[in-house]
Amino acid sequence: AQKVTQAQTEISVVEKEDVTLDCVYETRDTTYYLFWYKQPPSGELVFLIRRNSFDEQNEISGRYSWNFQKSTSSFNFTITASQVVDSAVYFCALSEAEGAQKLVFGQGTRLTINP
Amino acid sequence: DTEVTQTPKHLVMGMTNKKSLKCEQHMGHRAMYWYKQKAKKPPELMFVYSYEKLSINESVPSRFSPECPNSSLLNLHLHALQPEDSALYLCASSQSRGFEETQYFGPGTRLLVL
């Protein structure tokens, strides 16, 4: 069975600090997809990144970076030099090749960036 | 353009009312989804339409009735709801290629049932 665990329920940091959001997943499939979504207070889930199980390259997009490690079943997300606008709930999610339309979400991490 | 629109943004209804939520996308996606999200919880999948056919129904009560009139539109008809149905209802769409299904979400409808 699939499972996504985001152990950090809430994180609060001061602006300009770096922050890492942890995501650990479980799946029996060899082909699967991992996602990060951002949900600001307005409610919309904003897609940030998709990574498939065959691509373990880390990715950097501006201040955002993602570290995918199959050996530890983790897909962590780091925000460098955080800003107040980064305050949101962040969800990690998993889908499998069989049943790719079913996204399994973690419980989310509420990130607060204080000025 | 990765825009999914939803109307209305907010809805208050009584338990005897009938109302509908609407969702629209113009990205050429052939899969559309309804999710329910309670406060401080992740979204829960309700329904999936692929090529305008209902492909997934996550055992949702019949007081929620989805409809997909065409490939761009998705409705959720509501009838005889309960206060516990109050939540954020999110619509999403994806290409429906059968793999690598990145779902793009709308802003949601905040529903309050009195």
Side-chain angles (χ1 to χ4, degrees), chain A residues 14-74:
Chain A
V14 176
E15 202 171 17
K16 297 183 184 174
E17 284 186 21
D18 299 347
V19 57
T20 295
L21 309 182
D22 297 333
C23 173
V24 174
Y25 62 91
E26 295 175 28
T27 177
R28 293 178 186 170
D29 259 13
T30 55
T31 302
Y32 53 90
Y33 309 96
L34 295 163
F35 303 81
W36 276 96
Y37 285 89
K38 173 183 180 180
Q39 188 172 40
S42 59
E44 178 176 357
L45 264 83
V46 178
F47 166 70
L48 296 178
I49 190 171
R50 181 190 72 227
R51 180 60 83 223
N52 75 44
S53 53
F54 298 106
D55 182 2
E56 284 194 74
Q57 273 194 333
N58 292 330
E59 178 144 345
I60 298 175
S61 176
R63 296 184 297 105
Y64 294 173
S65 62
W66 290 269
N67 182 3
F68 176 30
Q69 291 196 337
K70 283 178 78 170
S71 60
T72 56
S73 296
S74 65

Side-chain angles (χ1 to χ4, degrees), chain B residues 9-98:
Chain B
K9 288 186 179 179
H10 300 274
L11 179 62
V12 180
M13 61 186 289
M15 289 189 284
T16 58
N17 292 158
K18 284 185 182 182
K19 297 285 185 183
S20 296
L21 309 184
K22 296 186 185 303
C23 174
E24 189 167 5
Q25 58 87 15
H26 293 290
M27 296 179 278
H29 288 173
R30 300 311 298 270
M32 296 186 76
Y33 308 71
W34 281 116
Y35 286 85
K36 174 183 178 180
Q37 187 180 22
K38 301 285 276 185
K40 299 192 176 183
K41 295 289 186 184
E44 297 173 20
L45 183 64
M46 300 174 72
F47 303 104
V48 182
Y49 273 83
S50 288
Y51 292 87
E52 294 114 72
K53 286 189 165 57
L54 184 64
S55 57
I56 297 177
N57 177 343
E58 293 287 89
S59 303
V60 178
S62 59
R63 57 185 183 270
F64 295 91
S65 174
E67 179 198 18
C68 190
N70 60 55
S71 60
S72 301
L73 290 173
L74 185 66
N75 298 322
L76 186 63
H77 303 297
L78 314 173
H79 173 56
L81 294 193
Q82 304 297 309
E84 59 264 30
D85 297 321
S86 299
L88 178 67
Y89 288 84
L90 292 161
C91 174
S93 70
S94 69
Q95 287 186 325
S96 193
R97 295 186 294 178

